[in-house]
Every structure is written in structure tokens, then in C-alpha cells.
Amino acid sequence: MSALNAESTAFRAALEVVRAVEPRIADAIAQELTDQRESLKLIASENYASPAVLLAMGNWLSDKYAEGTIGRRFYAGCQNVDTVEAVAAEHATALFGAPHAYVQPHSGIDANLVAYWAILADRVEAPALAKVGKRNVNDMTDAEWAELRQAFGNQRMLGMSLDAGGHLTHGFRPNISGKMFDQRSYGVDPATGQIDYDGLRAAAAEFKPLVIVGGYSAYPRKVNFRIMREIADEVGATFMVDMAHFAGLVAGKVFTGDFDPVPHAHIVTTTTHKSLRGPRGGMVLCGPELADQVDRGCPMVLGGPLSHVMSAKAVALAEARRPEFQDYARRIVENSQALAAGLTSRGATVVSGGTDNHLVLIDVDKYGLTGRQAEQALLDSGIVTNRNSIPQDPNGAWYTSGIRVGTPALTTRGLGTGEMDVIAELMHTVLSQTSPAGSKAKYDLDPALAERVSKQATELLADFPLYGSVTL
Ligand code: PLP
């Protein structure tokens, strides 16, 4: 049986089995493929995992409980989970050149929580235990324990501000990290839209954080992690990088040297499903100093490992170690640069004047629109993006003034720089023909124009079949 037939057969058979129990679920799964095939997906955090990754998730590894980690399980009979976890970690350490990988986190948020607790255990709990001459928190008196709990909640974190592209999990109040840490933000230089390293150094010197967090959700430039590590060392902070968005560019060797976080950070977290193109999930990389604390992630903050997802992570990481992945990562950036150039040449304003990575942030205030209006007008026209704050955003975090677009998904699909220019034209047409209508959410857009653009988007995608080996 050819690989092509095997993939179709596998997905068809799976749907048939599901349909026999709950047809609505089989239909929703099949419909999702149809919808994804028809959508011009520019969501910077999404991608299309390979059939091998998807198929690795639907199996009986899901039935096994395996709390703990290799060599320290709370359940018996975990030999196959051990294999899966070891193979995924082997690929992760080799791919990223990290001494240690913890592949259990169920998502990026979970990976960050694991990292934060590992840092607190290392920097706060261990010294508190040493001070009272005890090995375990269970041996502490109530008074010692109360003092330690006070200390946990009083640590400082310096992370990128939300409007500059930081993420809620980097110490912001709506997320648990903002309750665990007292957060202060660093931002970008308003003139360049790029990280102000001098400002960051000054903030670190004054605030003296326990943790400095690098990484972002919506920053379009390379980050110099060597400088950030220097700053962390100057103030004695642990340097953590959340590479959730750009892990694929690190894996694909687009970000090397000062721009590769792994050799510079004490601890690195990531998701596996964005530019890395794996299953939904997270991962933590670190050196031996933090490895033991990181490995306590389950049951410290995580539920039992999703062994079937870890197996899919292993498959995705094996794929990312192939030379083709480096070509893929390079094309992601070529495409986002082509998109930025295409938009700029038509009169759009992109934050920081361009991009070095997989995403472009368009300042739609220049079109007289809020991000909310722009996002919906583009969606009406068959172009899927998401609204995002821009630095010093006049419209706040809900309506926003930006549109974030990213190229990992369309690059997986095979679109290249020529197609990016067409997309830039379609986006500019919609944005320049949309006008605000009385509130920050309402807008006017000629439905005939939206329909014409939508048709052009569909025609563009017709040459790039998604999951072309799969017919249901
Ligand atoms: N960290 C960053 C930088 C992100 O952009 C995101 C998601 O958008 C996350 C963490 C959270 O990832 P997840 O949705 O897998 O929890």
C-alpha cells in the first residue's frame, strides 16, 4: 500500500469507527478538514501537523496513567510510556542542543507554569529549606512553612509588555503568573518598534527581578538573547525564554547564535503546535541545575501525562530534525518578509517597519480602523487573521489597533513569496475599502467586494491542496 493510500485509509477508517458511535463528532472532524482546506489561514500561532503526527495521537497510549516521569512513576506498567517520553526527549535535546527536555506539558501555559515552579523551587524553596536545615517542606514547622509561602508570592518578574508583544503568562494579572509574581514590563523603543535593551537593563537594575522572561506572541523581530542573559546575570536573575511562537525557527536554524535562546537562557519553554508543527502541547528545556525540579512538573502543576500526545511530539520532533525542516523554516521567514514588503509597498504601515520572523503586525489605525473592525472585515473576505495590540495602542487590548498575521501555516501548505504578494494585495484592498461605522466594532464593507476577495483567496488556495494525500 502506498503512503498516500495508507493516510486516506487510516483517516477514513477512523471516521467510520467514530461515526458508528456518534455521527455528529465524525461530521465535525470531517468538516474541520473541509473548512481548513478552504480558509486562507494567517493566524500566526497555527499550523498544519503532518498525517504522521495526527495519527500518532489516536491510540491506546491514551489509556495509560503515568504520573511522575521516567524512573519515578507513581503507576506500574509504564514501560511503553517510558519509551515514548524518552524518544521525544531524545529528539528534543538533539534538535535544540539542550541538556535536558521535559516533554509532558499539555500546553504552553502549562510549560510556563512548570518552569516558574522550577525556578521558585530552585531560588526560593531550596534556600528556605537550607536555612532551617531541612530536606523536605513536609518537615517544616507551620511557622517556617508560612514564611516560605509569603516568600513565594513576593518575587519579582520582568517580562515584555503586552502591547509590545508579550504574553499573558509572562506575569500579567489575568493569568496565574501575575498572582505568583509582582510583574514589571519592558517594552520597545517607540521610534524603532524594537526592544529597547538599554531600557530593559535600567529596569532590571532598578527592579531587581528574580526572573527575566524573554519571548513573545506578537513581536516581529529577532531578539538578542545574549544581551538579555548579560542583563540577567548583572542582577542575579534567572533568565527564562518562552519560544512558543518561534520554536520552529530555532529548530530550523533560522535563529542561531545570539538569537537562539537555548545556549543563553537558564530555562526555555515552548509550545509544540505553532511554528514547530507538532501536536498541541508544550515542552521545557533546561540544564542539569533545573532538570530535577522541572521533572517534578507532574504532579506539581500538571495532571497525568498525555502519552499519546507525547508520542506525536516525538514524531514531530523527528520531522523537525530532517534537513527539509530547515528549508521550511527559511521559507516561513521569506514569506513573512514578502508579505510585509507587499503590504508596505501598497501603503500599509507595519510595526517596526518589517519582520525577521514568522509574523507581521499591521497598524490598522493608519486605515482608520480598529483591530476588531479590520479582523472582521478580513474574515468576511475569506482571510483569517487576528486582532492584536500594537505598541502604545490607542484602542486598548480588546478593540486594539493591530492585525497580526503569520506565515507558518500557509508555508506548510506550499505557498511562496509570489502568493504572499497576492495576499498583501487582497488584504490592502479590503482594509482600504472598509470604513468605520459609529462604534469601534462596526464597519462598512461592500459585500460584493468581500465576496470577490473571498473568491480570489479560494482560487489562490486551489493550487496548494491541504492534506492532499487524504480523501475522505
Ligand atoms: N506562550 C506564548 C508566547 C504564546 O504565544 C502562547 C499562546 O498563544 C502560550 C504561551 C500559551 O500556549 P497554549 O495555548 O498552548 O497554552
Side-chain angles (χ1 to χ4, degrees), residues 257-314:
D258 292 354
F259 308 104
D260 174 355
V262 180
H264 300 293
H266 294 101
I267 186 162
V268 175
T269 59
T270 186
T271 55
T272 47
H273 49 272
K274 303 185 203 272
S275 55
L276 197 52
R277 213 166 62 186
R280 306 203 71 78
M283 200 162 66
V284 182
L285 306 172
C286 63
E289 309 75 28
L290 287 171
D292 190 51
Q293 297 297 353
V294 164
D295 280 350
R296 291 174 194 274
C298 166
M300 180 65 77
V301 291
L302 298 177
L306 309 177
S307 308
H308 54 308
V309 181
M310 287 199 292
S311 72
K313 287 177 189 171

Side-chain angles (χ1 to χ4, degrees), residues 80 96 134 186 211 237 348 385 402 421 453 459:
N80 299 310
F96 291 108
K134 300 200 168 143
Y186 60 88
V211 190
T385 65
D421 194 56
V453 170
E459 281 164 10

Side-chain angles (χ1 to χ4, degrees), residues 90-440:
E90 175 195 306
H91 283 306
T93 51
L95 178 64
F96 291 108
H100 184 72
Y102 181 63
V103 297
Q104 287 192 21
H106 310 329
S107 73
I109 287 192
D110 291 8
N112 287 348
L113 258 186
V114 169
Y116 295 150
W117 276 112
I119 294 168
L120 288 174
D122 179 54
R123 300 287 309 275
V124 180
E125 186 175 278
L129 281 165
K131 192 172 125 196
V132 294
K134 300 200 168 143
R135 287 170 57 86
N136 192 306
V137 285
N138 287 334
D139 302 331
M140 285 180 142
T141 63
D142 285 351
E144 288 162 354
W145 176 234
E147 195 180 324
L148 177 54
R149 288 185 57 202
Q150 280 283 331
F152 278 142
N154 277 317
Q155 301 302 324
R156 291 190 283 266
M157 171 176 284
L158 186 61
M160 190 181 233
S161 67
L162 286 178
D163 71 349
H167 191 257
L168 274 184
T169 56
H170 300 177
F172 293 95
R173 290 178 198 178
N175 177 258
I176 181 105
S177 57
K179 306 178 206 294
M180 288 162 69
F181 292 95
D182 178 15
Q183 205 261 20
R184 185 177 295 181
S185 300
Y186 60 88
V188 293
D189 178 339
T192 62
Q194 304 215 25
I195 292 178
D196 171 8
Y197 294 100
D198 291 338
L200 171 51
R201 176 170 266 118
E206 200 226 309
F207 188 51
K208 303 224 176 338
L210 182 83
V211 190
I212 296 182
V213 181
Y216 52 79
S217 297
Y219 177 71
R221 292 296 180 175
K222 290 196 270 205
V223 176
N224 191 317
F225 297 113
R226 182 185 52 75
I227 297 181
M228 290 191 73
R229 172 59 185 264
E230 267 169 32
I231 296 171
D233 285 346
E234 283 162 18
V235 297
T238 300
F239 180 35
M240 169 175 145
V241 175
D242 175 353
M243 64 171 183
H245 257 262
F246 54 91
L249 303 183
V250 179
K253 313 282 180 251
V254 171
F255 287 172
T256 56
D258 292 354
F259 308 104
D260 174 355
V262 180
H264 300 293
H266 294 101
I267 186 162
V268 175
T269 59
T270 186
T271 55
T272 47
H273 49 272
K274 303 185 203 272
S275 55
L276 197 52
R277 213 166 62 186
R280 306 203 71 78
M283 200 162 66
V284 182
L285 306 172
C286 63
E289 309 75 28
L290 287 171
D292 190 51
Q293 297 297 353
V294 164
D295 280 350
R296 291 174 194 274
C298 166
M300 180 65 77
V301 291
L302 298 177
L306 309 177
S307 308
H308 54 308
V309 181
M310 287 199 292
S311 72
K313 287 177 189 171
V315 173
L317 290 162
E319 289 175 348
R321 289 182 69 190
R322 294 181 178 162
E324 305 89 275
F325 196 86
Q326 295 187 16
D327 180 54
Y328 166 64
R330 188 183 45 75
R331 286 186 292 112
I332 289 176
V333 178
E334 260 174 31
N335 278 345
S336 67
Q337 289 177 337
L339 191 54
L343 285 160
T344 311
S345 69
R346 289 171 173 87
T349 299
V350 303
V351 171
S352 85
T355 177
D356 302 321
N357 59 16
H358 63 298
L359 67 87
V360 180
L361 202 54
I362 308 164
D363 178 351
V364 293
D365 196 39
K366 298 291 191 303
Y367 288 102
L369 301 172
T370 63
R372 176 98 190 265
Q373 291 160 333
E375 176 189 78
Q376 195 57 42
L378 288 165
L379 193 61
D380 293 348
S381 314
I383 301 173
V384 188
T385 65
N386 63 280
R387 67 182 184 278
N388 212 101
S389 300
I390 58 172
Q392 293 91 43
D393 200 310
N395 283 315
W398 177 248
Y399 291 106
T400 81
S401 305
I403 285 288
R404 185 187 69 167
V405 288
T407 52
L410 290 182
T411 306
T412 296
R413 207 167 165 157
L415 280 76
T417 52
E419 287 76 33
M420 293 303 133
D421 194 56
V422 176
I423 293 169
E425 170 67 22
L426 297 180
M427 290 184 76
H428 176 69
T429 303
V430 173
L431 294 173
S432 55
Q433 298 298 314
T434 303
S435 43
S439 87
K440 288 185 178 188

Side-chain angles (χ1 to χ4, degrees), residues 440-463:
K440 288 185 178 188
K442 296 204 174 115
Y443 58 95
D444 285 325
L445 172 66
D446 177 3
L449 182 126
E451 202 184 314
R452 176 168 65 74
V453 170
S454 196
K455 199 159 156 278
Q456 284 173 285
T458 311
E459 281 164 10
L460 184 71
L461 291 175
D463 291 336

Side-chain angles (χ1 to χ4, degrees), residues 24-89:
R24 288 174 298 178
I25 296 301
D27 289 346
I29 295 170
Q31 188 60 42
E32 182 61 27
L33 177 59
T34 306
D35 292 354
Q36 295 216 15
R37 281 177 166 159
E38 288 169 2
S39 128
L40 191 71
K41 179 150 96 172
L42 284 162
I43 305 264
S45 50
E46 292 187 7
N47 211 328
Y48 305 109
S50 73
V53 167
L54 297 179
L55 289 167
M57 277 185 281
N59 57 65
W60 27 92
L61 281 166
S62 162
D63 297 338
K64 187 75 196 101
Y65 238 117
E67 273 186 20
T69 189
I70 301 169
R72 201 164 60 204
R73 297 279 184 208
F74 293 81
Y75 281 79
C78 298
Q79 59 282 358
N80 299 310
V81 180
D82 282 356
T83 302
V84 162
E85 190 165 352
V87 173

